[in-house]
Amino acid sequence: DKEKDEKSYHKININWYPGHMAKTKKQILEDLKLIDVVIEILDARIPVSSRNPDIEEYTKNKMKIIVLNKYDLADENQNKKWIEYFKNNGIEAVLVNSNTGEGINKAINKIEEVYNNGKTQYVSKGRIGKAIRVMILGIPNVGKSSFINRISKKNVATVGNKPGVTRQKQWIRINQDIELLDTPGILWPKFESEKVALNLAYTGSIKDEVIEIEEISFNLLKVLLNKYLDKLLERYKLN
């Protein structure tokens, strides 16, 4: 089935890995030494495709929370299944809509809960009594800046409906107990399948300038006709 699924996609060349991302990855690895908890933001519509395997690798020894952002755009039943999936794999996950603020308070509570559950490792390092340092990670355009603006109740992060808006790191104080380190979105050098590349193109994580818009649109329409025909008809008032 997987092989058949892969063959159903028209071959599309997507040049996804800009040169600045190698520099960004190096900086993130250095900054992780300062971090207590990592928040990895995924697009709730495509949790697998929007999860950078490099991030998973170099944060494996860190306490982590998954934020499934844009959950209001995803299938409700699938959202519940993904929360259970991550829980079964030992990772706390939270559904968030950064546009409305839904799930933000739960994310703050999870930061404190996860840190308190694992803080024994920090006692010997003298970290107790200091602010919890949290790094926000994710690929371009999953809503990191919108999430930060909501959680900090300030417009401190530049927001845009396109990848590559956040260009430099910045520390943001959330409250007396938590401070966040924002980072630019980072992709990875090689996608494991064309389906992943297409999912990222559909949801705006790859710049329009490097993709074939008409071919991407055609493939997306095929997916929608196959899996979400009723919603497609409803959205465009078709019969």
Side-chain angles (χ1 to χ4, degrees), residues 17 19-41 52-60 62 64 133-140 142 144 148 166-171 181-189:
Y17 196 68
H20 73 269
M21 289 196 177
K23 183 179 179 182
T24 298
K25 177 180 176 180
K26 184 178 180 182
Q27 186 62 57
I28 287 172
L29 286 169
E30 187 64 28
D31 291 337
L32 274 168
K33 298 172 184 176
L34 308 171
I35 298 301
D36 303 316
V37 178
V38 170
I39 289 183
E40 185 178 0
I41 300 187
N52 184 339
D54 285 353
I55 289 177
E56 191 174 358
E57 172 61 25
Y58 50 72
T59 62
K60 62 185 178 183
K62 291 288 182 180
K64 187 185 294 185
R133 289 179 170 176
V134 179
M135 179 182 279
I136 306 293
L137 287 173
I139 67 170
V142 287
K144 295 189 304 299
I148 286 168
T166 303
R167 283 295 182 188
Q168 57 187 8
K169 66 176 181 177
Q170 56 179 329
W171 284 100
L181 179 60
D182 185 20
T183 57
I186 179 171
L187 289 170
W188 59 107

Side-chain angles (χ1 to χ4, degrees), residues 86-136:
F86 286 113
K87 185 176 181 180
N88 291 337
N89 283 274
I91 303 175
E92 294 291 337
V94 184
L95 295 173
V96 170
N97 177 351
S98 293
N99 288 331
T100 64
E102 293 174 80
I104 291 294
N105 287 335
K106 190 169 184 179
I108 292 174
N109 292 337
K110 282 293 182 187
I111 292 170
E112 295 174 343
E113 178 186 321
V114 166
Y115 177 75
N116 288 330
N117 287 342
K119 70 181 180 182
T120 51
Q121 63 180 289
Y122 293 110
V123 173
S124 60
K125 298 179 182 179
R127 288 284 298 133
I128 300 304
K130 297 181 180 179
I132 305 168
R133 289 179 170 176
V134 179
M135 179 182 279
I136 306 293

Side-chain angles (χ1 to χ4, degrees), residues 11 44 48 54-55 62 67 93 100 110 117 133 168 172 203 207 225 230 232-233:
K11 290 296 179 185
V48 173
D54 285 353
I55 289 177
K62 291 288 182 180
V67 164
T100 64
K110 282 293 182 187
N117 287 342
R133 289 179 170 176
Q168 57 187 8
I172 300 133
T203 52
K207 289 186 176 182
L225 286 169
D230 55 335
L232 192 65
L233 297 178

Side-chain angles (χ1 to χ4, degrees), residues 150-169:
R150 275 290 176 182
I151 202 170
S152 65
K153 299 178 181 175
K154 306 169 188 173
N155 288 321
V156 292
T158 306
V159 177
N161 187 27
K162 60 181 181 179
V165 173
T166 303
R167 283 295 182 188
Q168 57 187 8
K169 66 176 181 177

